[in-house]
Amino acid sequence: MMRLAKLPALPDAAGTYRWFYADVTAGPYSAVCIFMLGSLFSPRYSVAARRGGRPLEHSAVNFALYHAGVRRLWVLSEYARAELDAPGRLRIGRSTLSYEGDGTVRMAVDDGTAPWGRPVRASLTLEPMTPVGEVVQLMPGLPHYWQALAPRSQARLEVSSLGIEASGLGYHDTNHGGELLGARLSGWHWARTHREDETVVDYHLPEGVAPLRVVAGARGVRCERGPTLVESRPTHITGWGLRVPSRLHAGNVVVGQPKLLESSPFYARLEARQGPLDSLGEVADFRRFHSPFIRWMAHFRTRMGRAA
């Protein structure tokens, strides 16, 4: 089985980015962790990139913990540097992402909540059950790419600052691009659904581009670009004016009406569970983020961290 033993190439040029995303579903808990280079959530990088600012100068760690659909912890700390401090290990602040020789993925968060800095120590450990997926271009002609690195994993969640230890299923991927999101790619929405025997990820793109689907299970990982949806699916507007799905789907299977885990003017995170089905989805409108007013608001969800 092909597993990741080292980090993919890190971005360097102004406006480029890469992030490493993981989520874990464990009993009543859900957790999301993202290590970002050229931070998606950084109002500072949105401005600095146009002036030659480099992505590693705007690195960030995001960790969110939810219990029964309600947020318990939120970490979003931006740092002026990131480094490879060992083969296969990325460090941002005191937090690390590492790929081990047996394929295990570990994200260890040692940081503070935004904005007040309450200490948080947590870890996500994923043992892949499937091979690595292929790198796919999200939109024809645009330099934005996605790869499912460990789309279905046995996972362990530990939050020592709250005394939580739980096991379940995990998912891990990476996105990278050669220009700022929102420059030409206006947004997307996607959802990851764990079924009893496989994990399905549906990636929906703007401008009538056919959606992408990854299916990971006992027969490996396959990626395909499906037909454009013939009929529109119901949506609604959040309190911030962002349009989000009224139901989360795995293909044509309705998982259910989602809970809104995170809501902002340009980004939302949603979750739906029904029997053995567990879906976690995100909606992003990147052009909204580049509005000066929304960039100003984003400062209140982020704290500037200091290197270890």
Side-chain angles (χ1 to χ4, degrees):
M1 180 185 295
M2 181 182 175
R3 289 175 173 171
L4 203 66
K6 63 179 182 179
L7 287 163
L10 303 185
D12 180 61
T16 61
Y17 66 89
R18 183 184 284 274
W19 70 76
F20 300 91
Y21 168 99
D23 66 56
V24 169
T25 297
Y29 294 103
S30 300
V32 173
C33 188
I34 316 174
F35 280 62
M36 294 178 276
L37 310 168
S39 173
L40 163 67
F41 297 115
S42 173
R44 301 164 187 86
Y45 189 50
S46 175
V47 174
R50 296 176 171 86
R51 303 170 181 170
R54 299 298 181 88
L56 298 191
E57 298 168 352
H58 300 275
S59 300
V61 175
N62 177 219
F63 174 76
L65 175 70
Y66 309 96
H67 180 267
V70 178
R71 189 205 306 149
R72 293 283 304 277
L73 291 173
W74 175 264
V75 173
L76 181 52
S77 299
E78 185 175 336
Y79 293 86
R81 63 178 294 187
E83 59 183 350
L84 295 174
D85 69 349
R89 187 167 74 174
L90 173 68
R91 178 179 295 274
I92 301 177
R94 298 184 303 275
S95 301
T96 58
L97 162 64
S98 58
Y99 295 104
E100 304 182 357
D102 62 356
T104 300
V105 181
R106 298 187 192 278
M107 288 180 160
V109 176
D110 183 358
D111 214 297
T113 58
W116 310 116
R118 173 187 169 192
V120 173
R121 289 180 175 83
S123 66
L124 282 65
T125 303
L126 284 72
E127 298 178 2
M129 302 162 66
T130 65
V132 174
E134 63 182 286
V135 179
V136 293
Q137 187 173 18
L138 292 175
M139 295 277 287
L142 298 185
H144 301 280
Y145 304 87
W146 168 56
Q147 184 180 21
L149 298 174
R152 186 173 177 88
S153 305
Q154 294 177 336
R156 183 165 183 80
L157 168 67
E158 298 181 51
V159 187
S160 57
S161 50
L162 295 180
I164 295 170
E165 295 184 7
S167 299
L169 287 173
Y171 169 83
H172 177 43
D173 71 10
T174 183
N175 285 70
H176 71 280
E179 64 183 16
L180 283 175
L181 288 161
R184 289 186 289 173
L185 177 52
S186 61
W188 62 50
H189 73 270
W190 69 278
R192 180 274 301 145
T193 302
H194 291 310
R195 297 173 170 174
E196 287 185 290
D197 58 350
E198 63 183 13
T199 295
V200 178
V201 185
D202 288 309
Y203 226 112
H204 298 276
L205 299 155
E207 300 174 21
V209 173
L212 286 161
R213 168 178 282 191
V214 161
V215 180
R219 292 180 292 178
V221 179
R222 65 182 189 274
C223 180
E224 56 196 16
R225 196 175 285 275
T228 304
L229 293 175
V230 175
E231 58 183 29
S232 60
R233 290 176 172 170
T235 61
H236 67 274
I237 303 295
T238 68
W240 289 108
L242 185 67
R243 185 171 294 279
V244 301
S246 296
R247 292 178 178 82
L248 291 183
H249 292 73
N252 292 321
V253 176
V254 178
V255 179
Q257 182 176 350
K259 293 182 179 179
L260 194 60
L261 301 179
E262 302 292 343
S263 182
S264 78
F266 86 103
Y267 174 85
R269 182 176 292 157
L270 310 98
E271 181 181 52
R273 297 188 184 188
Q274 180 175 284
L277 301 177
D278 176 273
S279 289
L280 190 68
E282 297 182 320
V283 177
D285 183 329
F286 302 118
R287 288 183 177 168
R288 276 185 163 213
F289 183 71
H290 294 294
S291 154
F293 176 67
I294 292 176
R295 285 204 310 265
W296 173 79
M297 293 178 63
H299 286 280
F300 297 97
R301 294 293 302 277
T302 310
R303 62 186 292 269
M304 291 301 297
R306 296 181 179 179

